[in-house]
Amino acid sequence: MAEAQLQQFLEKVRQLNAFVELTETDPALRQALRDCEHHHQVVELASRCGFEIGRRWGEPPQPGAVSTNLLSQPCPPQGAESCSVLVRGEGWRLERIHSCAATTPGDQWYDQTEHEWITLVQGSALLQFADEPGARALQQGDWMLIAPHRRHRVVATDPAPGSVWLALFWSASCAG
């Protein structure tokens, strides 16, 4: 195997591992993966999250597959959100999350093992923490740090064109 092919293979493995890691921290995504009935649905789900796991070695990326503009992506369907990993390193990843009139189901809370720093790049949102009596209103430019295992949920995000977030996740081992 030539070095270029080896690098393509290793990148695909990295993409697969990143997708698996994301499904382990996002219960809704894990359920969506569980609901897939065949390989093509898994590839499409991974693609909506920013991973290209279906491409064969040596195939070029699809035209326009990668955008460097945070606000140029189409809005997801109402009630949904799309996630893309923009960049990652050892023990951390930066995600773009685009929400459209989305909410976390009423009986569900995010309880992540990672640190999470978020900022709202576009739109507004209501974010509820289990240890606070009311939801926090966030608007464009607001940011916050969410400690590991601090249970939280999204109460509301804007309708189209939606709310766009940047979320930086890192493990305790990187917090040094």
Side-chain angles (χ1 to χ4, degrees), residues 101-148:
T103 62
T104 307
D107 60 342
Q108 180 182 346
W109 293 89
Y110 291 105
D111 185 359
Q112 301 160 171
T113 60
E114 301 167 295
H115 297 271
E116 179 182 5
W117 175 88
I118 57 168
T119 187
L120 202 49
V121 177
Q122 171 183 289
S124 65
L126 293 174
L127 192 63
Q128 175 72 51
F129 289 91
D131 61 350
E132 294 181 0
R136 293 188 189 192
L138 302 174
Q139 61 185 359
Q140 183 175 329
D142 288 344
W143 65 271
M144 68 176 46
L145 182 62
I146 303 171

Side-chain angles (χ1 to χ4, degrees), residues 26-167:
D26 183 346
L29 181 59
R30 186 175 182 86
Q31 183 60 50
L33 180 60
R34 187 178 293 118
D35 293 342
C36 289
E37 296 178 1
H38 53 76
H39 171 73
H40 296 291
Q41 289 178 335
V42 173
V43 170
E44 173 59 29
L45 178 62
S47 179
R48 288 195 314 257
C49 294
F51 302 103
E52 292 301 326
I53 65 171
R55 206 165 18 111
R56 292 188 174 100
W57 300 344
E59 286 182 334
Q62 296 297 319
V66 177
S67 173
T68 57
N69 186 310
L70 293 171
L71 304 177
S72 69
Q73 310 295 308
C75 189
Q78 184 155 328
E81 71 179 19
S82 61
C83 301
S84 304
V85 175
L86 301 177
V87 65
R88 67 181 323 108
E90 184 67 35
W92 66 272
R93 71 183 181 284
L94 179 64
E95 294 183 7
R96 176 191 179 273
I97 303 168
H98 195 164
S99 308
C100 182
T103 62
T104 307
D107 60 342
Q108 180 182 346
W109 293 89
Y110 291 105
D111 185 359
Q112 301 160 171
T113 60
E114 301 167 295
H115 297 271
E116 179 182 5
W117 175 88
I118 57 168
T119 187
L120 202 49
V121 177
Q122 171 183 289
S124 65
L126 293 174
L127 192 63
Q128 175 72 51
F129 289 91
D131 61 350
E132 294 181 0
R136 293 188 189 192
L138 302 174
Q139 61 185 359
Q140 183 175 329
D142 288 344
W143 65 271
M144 68 176 46
L145 182 62
I146 303 171
H149 298 292
R150 184 157 189 221
R151 292 172 21 137
H152 61 285
R153 58 187 305 276
V154 177
V155 175
T157 62
D158 285 353
S163 300
V164 177
W165 311 74
L166 279 181

